[in-house]
Amino acid sequence: MKCRFCHHELIHVFINLINAPASNSFLTKDQLNEPEVFYPIELYVCDKCFLVQTGEYKKSGEIFNREYAYFSSFSTSWLEHAKKYVDMITGRLELSTASHVMEIASNDGYLLQYFLEKQIPCLGIEPSANTAQAAREKGIETLEEFFSADLAERLVQEEKKLI
Ligand SMILES: [Zn+2]
């Protein structure tokens, strides 16, 4: 396996969590008597650039699908943290209506909603259809796709750069 950042061969296991089901892959009642799929969870560290990364055992499209179960806004303490963060970072970076905030993996807009309240333009990038829809219902422009180099180049061409 190659490092996702520098393409150096990965040989060092940083931590081995053995096996686990995919996150948020809850079983239905009908599935309770069926075998459950577990995946090895090994984290590697690149000895060239020190990026820690998982081995990919399940394609991301299988995990982040139309029925993704985790909505960030379910946690009131997480929302409180997100609001405090937006207040802090808005002042620190002097963000304004002339700025543009993007969040990769923006889920249901739990964070961007607070930028929107301050009338700071923002864009969410979220591959799960149901959480992306929840964000749109809050008025947050959300692209429903995985962030990639191709998407980054498209956004630059559309002049949606970070200011
Ligand atoms: Zn590397």
Side-chain angles (χ1 to χ4, degrees), residues 3 5-8 46 48-51 53:
C3 173
F5 181 70
C6 75
H7 308 291
H8 189 71
C46 176
K48 187 174 175 192
C49 73
F50 301 107
L51 178 66
Q53 55 207 287

Side-chain angles (χ1 to χ4, degrees), residues 13-120:
V13 174
F14 179 73
I15 191 167
N16 187 347
L17 298 175
I18 316 297
N19 293 308
S23 65
N24 298 309
S25 61
F26 301 112
L27 300 176
T28 64
K29 191 174 181 180
D30 293 340
Q31 293 173 315
L32 292 178
N33 291 324
E34 298 174 6
E36 184 174 6
V37 179
F38 280 63
Y39 297 91
I41 300 179
E42 288 182 317
L43 297 178
Y44 294 85
V45 62
C46 176
D47 59 4
K48 187 174 175 192
C49 73
F50 301 107
L51 178 66
V52 174
Q53 55 207 287
T54 60
E56 188 173 349
Y57 296 102
K58 187 166 182 175
K59 295 293 177 199
S60 48
E62 296 174 38
I63 298 172
F64 299 100
N65 54 37
R66 298 190 65 76
E67 297 165 3
Y68 191 60
Y70 180 74
F71 283 67
S72 300
S73 294
F74 285 172
S75 167
T76 53
S77 61
W78 186 237
L79 287 177
E80 187 178 318
H81 170 76
K83 186 170 180 21
K84 285 180 183 171
Y85 172 78
V86 168
D87 287 342
M88 181 279 295
I89 203 68
T90 297
R92 185 169 165 183
L93 299 180
E94 299 177 2
L95 298 177
S96 70
T97 55
S99 304
H100 193 226
V101 174
M102 282 189 223
E103 184 185 12
I104 299 169
S106 54
N107 199 276
D108 60 3
Y110 72 98
L111 179 71
L112 294 178
Q113 66 185 338
Y114 299 118
F115 287 107
L116 200 62
E117 279 179 7
K118 295 176 182 290
Q119 298 179 329
I120 297 169

